[in-house]
């Protein structure tokens, strides 16, 4: 075997050999797509900003869950207020699959960029409107109804946001660096959450409880308006991804001519296995994600009896730790593979969930910080490779729609409901370790999923040309393909 071929990861060698056999020749210059660095930077930056804004809102809502419960459900008991607030939080996730079913197929027809600009507008509008809704004491039952409607707008837009953003960045990224570049998408996620939580933490420190209930809670939501304008401007300057342009240039529009219902049936029928794998990975990632980001602030204040300030700071430390880790783990997934990172993280979650929660509920400072760092490290192991792994499961023609279906149905069923289920389990059983047991179940499901997950590190996306970051890489890949093609042609003759 030539040294250039032997140096390729096994999964890359197998995929390239398959493509060469199909083409019956080595790659030529027109077979390998070179990504222009300025376009790549804009694509990654604009997509990450959208996720940043989305999770700014989620961070704000999670940290203000108890306050929002008092504003919109004042007649309920404290426990019922929190559960009602989380129920409204979860309602947005019920709408997410609908957003995925509508916006996903639309992204495969009219383009990723147009749909991502639309989701940015809807997301900003929904968040901004929450800050304008009068309290229950002012307009009565209309207040929680309007809150629910605003959350549903957010949920619908989010149904097309993450699937579109991951698709867009994955289709722009060179194959060798897709894990690293896609990890910036979730870097934006946790930066947004950290900014939202830091803002709420600052408001809780600067304002009295009465001021927070009266008007202070509105300020973080109103900031979404200017952020949305900036994000929209950035996304309108983007060009369509090379993979989508290539599909249109080659007139591969058979799926683009189908109705959304027909495309849904096609995806479920022809891509059932990758769809199930997508949902398994999303479950692993998002149960951990919403446990740490959505539930822990309230768990500490309502279950453990900590002050909101100390609880907020503790979770903020975890978010900042993820921000530090995530791009390093994304780069690591390009080198060692996505599957090992998921597998180690899932196994560690089964082993360390209970110890992490025991540390979290301990007195003092060091033990709770160590507990949150353990949970945050596990979350970073799932977040870092996901934006590169999930789009690679599907071909270009249905990638946006399939991501919209698989990701959003799994998030709606398991992710967004995590704070509500965890709070209900603790309330019913009186066992404050129930969230840890819930994480252990998610870890076990994740391990089973990883067992059947194909390795996609450095592998060209299905239905797309190999992607490289420079002309020198293009020449190198063309030369390697010639060696691989010659080797594959010689092997049958030597047997």
């Amino acid at each position: 075997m030539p040294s250039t071929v032997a140096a390729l990861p096994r999964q890359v060698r197998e995929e390239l050999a398959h493509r060469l056999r199909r083409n019956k020749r080595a790659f030529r210059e027109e077979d390998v797509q070179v990504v222009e660095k300025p376009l790549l930077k804009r694509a990654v930056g604009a997509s990450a900003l959208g996720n940043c804004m989305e999770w700014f809102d989620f961070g704000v809502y999670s940290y203000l869950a108890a306050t929002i419960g008092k504003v919109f459900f004042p007649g309920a008991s404290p426990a019922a207020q929190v559960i009602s607030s989380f129920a409204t939080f979860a309602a947005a996730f019920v709408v997410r699959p609908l957003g995925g079913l509508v916006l996903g197929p639309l992204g495969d027809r009219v383009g990723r960029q147009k749909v991502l600009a639309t989701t940015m507008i809807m997301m900003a509008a929904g968040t901004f409107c929450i800050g304008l809704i009068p309290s229950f004491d002012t307009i009565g039952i209309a207040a929680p109804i309007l809150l629910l409607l605003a959350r549903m707008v957010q949920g619908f837009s989010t149904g097309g946001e993450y699937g579109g953003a991951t698709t867009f960045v994955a289709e722009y990224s060179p194959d060798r660096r897709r894990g690293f570049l896609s990890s910036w998408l979730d870097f934006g996620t946790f930066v947004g959450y950290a900014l939202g939580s830091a803002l709420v933490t600052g408001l809780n420190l600067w304002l009295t409880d009465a001021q927070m209930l009266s008007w202070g809670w509105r300020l973080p939501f109103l900031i979404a308006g200017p952020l949305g304008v900036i994000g929209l401007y950035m996304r309108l300057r983007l060009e369509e991804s090379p993979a989508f342009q290539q599909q249109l240039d080659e007139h591969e529009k058979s799926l683009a001519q189908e109705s959304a219902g027909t495309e849904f049936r096609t995806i479920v029928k022809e891509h059932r296995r990758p769809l199930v794998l997508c949902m398994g990975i999303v479950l692993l990632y998002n149960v951990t994600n919403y446990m740490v980001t959505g539930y822990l602030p309230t768990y500490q204040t309502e279950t453990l009896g900590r002050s909101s300030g100390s609880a907020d700071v503790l979770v903020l430390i975890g978010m900042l730790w993820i921000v530090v880790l995530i791009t390093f783990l994304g780069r690591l997934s390009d080198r060692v593979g996505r599957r090992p990172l998921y597998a180690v993280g899932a196994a560690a979650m089964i082993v360390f969930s209970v110890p992490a929660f025991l540390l979290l509920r301990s007195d003092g400072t060091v033990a709770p910080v160590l507990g949150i760092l353990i949970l945050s490290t596990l979350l970073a192991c799932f977040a870092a490779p996901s934006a590169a792994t999930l789009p690679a499961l599907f071909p270009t023609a249905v990638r946006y729609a399939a991501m919209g279906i698989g990701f959003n149905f799994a998030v709606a069923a398991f992710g967004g409901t995590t704070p509500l289920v965890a709070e209900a389990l603790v309330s019913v059983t009186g066992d404050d370790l129930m969230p840890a047991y819930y994480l252990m179940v998610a870890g076990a499901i994740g391990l089973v999923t990883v067992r059947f997950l194909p390795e996609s590190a450095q592998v060209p996306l299905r239905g797309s040309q190999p992607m490289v970051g420079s002309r020198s890489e293009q020449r190198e890949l063309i030369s390697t393909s010639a060696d691989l093609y010659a080797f594959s042609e010689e092997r049958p003759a030597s047997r």
Side-chain angles (χ1 to χ4, degrees), residues 71-421:
V71 172
F72 291 97
F73 309 98
S77 66
Q81 286 178 348
V82 174
I83 291 176
S84 298
S85 180
F86 278 138
T88 307
F89 180 83
F93 292 86
V94 176
V95 184
R96 282 185 72 154
L98 178 61
L101 287 173
V102 174
L103 298 173
L106 198 62
D108 287 328
R109 291 186 183 86
V110 305
R112 286 73 160 113
Q113 183 262 354
K114 295 182 180 66
V115 175
L116 285 173
T118 302
T119 61
M120 177 64 74
I121 297 171
M122 295 179 66
M123 199 186 315
T127 305
F128 187 75
C129 285
I130 290 178
L132 299 177
I133 299 173
S135 67
F136 185 94
D137 291 337
T138 303
I139 60 173
I141 191 65
I145 292 175
L146 289 174
L147 175 65
L148 180 63
L149 289 175
R151 289 291 298 160
M152 291 176 75
V153 170
Q154 291 176 318
F156 186 87
S157 68
T158 306
E161 171 62 32
Y162 188 79
T166 54
T167 293
F168 196 74
V169 172
E171 290 179 348
Y172 254 108
S173 300
D175 299 329
R176 291 180 180 178
R177 304 175 64 212
R178 184 168 294 116
F180 170 67
L181 292 169
S182 296
S183 69
W184 285 97
L185 195 62
D186 285 283
F187 175 90
T189 291
F190 292 102
V191 167
Y193 187 92
L195 290 174
S197 59
L199 179 57
V200 174
T201 300
L203 289 173
N204 280 326
L205 293 174
W206 296 328
L207 302 178
T208 64
D209 290 343
Q211 289 173 324
M212 281 295 292
L213 280 173
S214 176
W215 54 269
W217 68 271
R218 299 181 184 276
L219 297 180
F221 293 104
L222 297 177
I223 292 174
L227 285 178
V229 173
I230 296 171
L232 179 62
Y233 170 75
M234 290 184 65
R235 288 193 170 180
L236 289 175
R237 295 178 64 235
L238 294 175
E239 296 182 12
E240 276 298 347
S241 70
F244 185 78
Q245 289 179 355
Q246 178 192 351
Q247 175 180 291
L248 295 184
D249 292 343
E250 296 177 357
H251 305 288
E252 297 175 357
K253 298 182 180 180
S254 57
L255 280 173
Q257 303 303 322
E258 297 180 354
S259 66
T262 303
E263 186 171 3
F264 174 78
R265 289 191 294 271
T266 300
I267 291 170
V268 172
K269 181 180 178 181
E270 298 182 7
H271 304 281
R272 185 181 297 111
R273 180 185 174 92
L275 205 58
V276 172
L277 292 174
C278 174
M279 294 179 73
I281 292 296
V282 172
L283 182 152
L284 175 66
Y285 172 18
N286 280 275
V287 166
T288 314
N289 191 7
Y290 289 101
M291 186 69 75
V292 175
T293 62
Y295 180 61
L296 280 190
T298 302
Y299 174 77
Q300 293 183 80
T301 56
E302 303 301 315
T303 303
L304 301 183
R306 289 201 175 103
S307 68
S308 60
S310 62
D312 293 349
V313 169
L314 195 60
V315 177
L316 180 57
I317 289 171
M319 295 303 99
L320 294 176
W321 178 238
I322 294 173
V323 169
V324 171
L325 284 181
I326 193 165
T327 57
F328 291 100
L329 292 174
R331 191 188 299 274
L332 181 65
S333 77
D334 284 328
R335 295 177 180 175
V336 304
R338 325 285 191 223
R339 296 179 73 240
L341 205 55
Y342 282 124
V344 170
M349 191 154 76
I350 296 172
V351 174
F352 291 112
S353 288
V354 170
F357 270 83
L358 288 174
L359 289 167
L360 196 63
R361 70 181 188 179
S362 300
D363 295 329
T365 302
V366 176
V369 168
L370 184 57
I372 198 70
L373 290 179
I374 290 172
L375 293 175
S376 299
T377 300
L378 296 176
L379 176 53
C381 288
F382 308 141
S386 287
T389 302
L390 300 178
L393 292 169
F394 306 102
T396 302
V398 299
R399 184 170 293 126
Y400 200 148
M403 280 288 296
I405 294 168
F407 185 88
N408 290 300
F409 272 90
V411 170
F414 308 108
T417 58
T418 294
L420 177 63
V421 172

Side-chain angles (χ1 to χ4, degrees), residues 1-6 8 13 17 20-21 26 479-495:
M1 182 182 294
S3 59
T4 54
V5 175
L8 294 173
R13 187 164 59 246
L20 295 174
R21 285 195 300 270
S479 175
T480 301
S481 74
D483 293 339
L484 178 58
Y485 184 67
F487 175 70
S488 62
E489 288 292 295
E490 290 171 1
R491 288 179 67 189
S494 64
R495 288 174 181 169

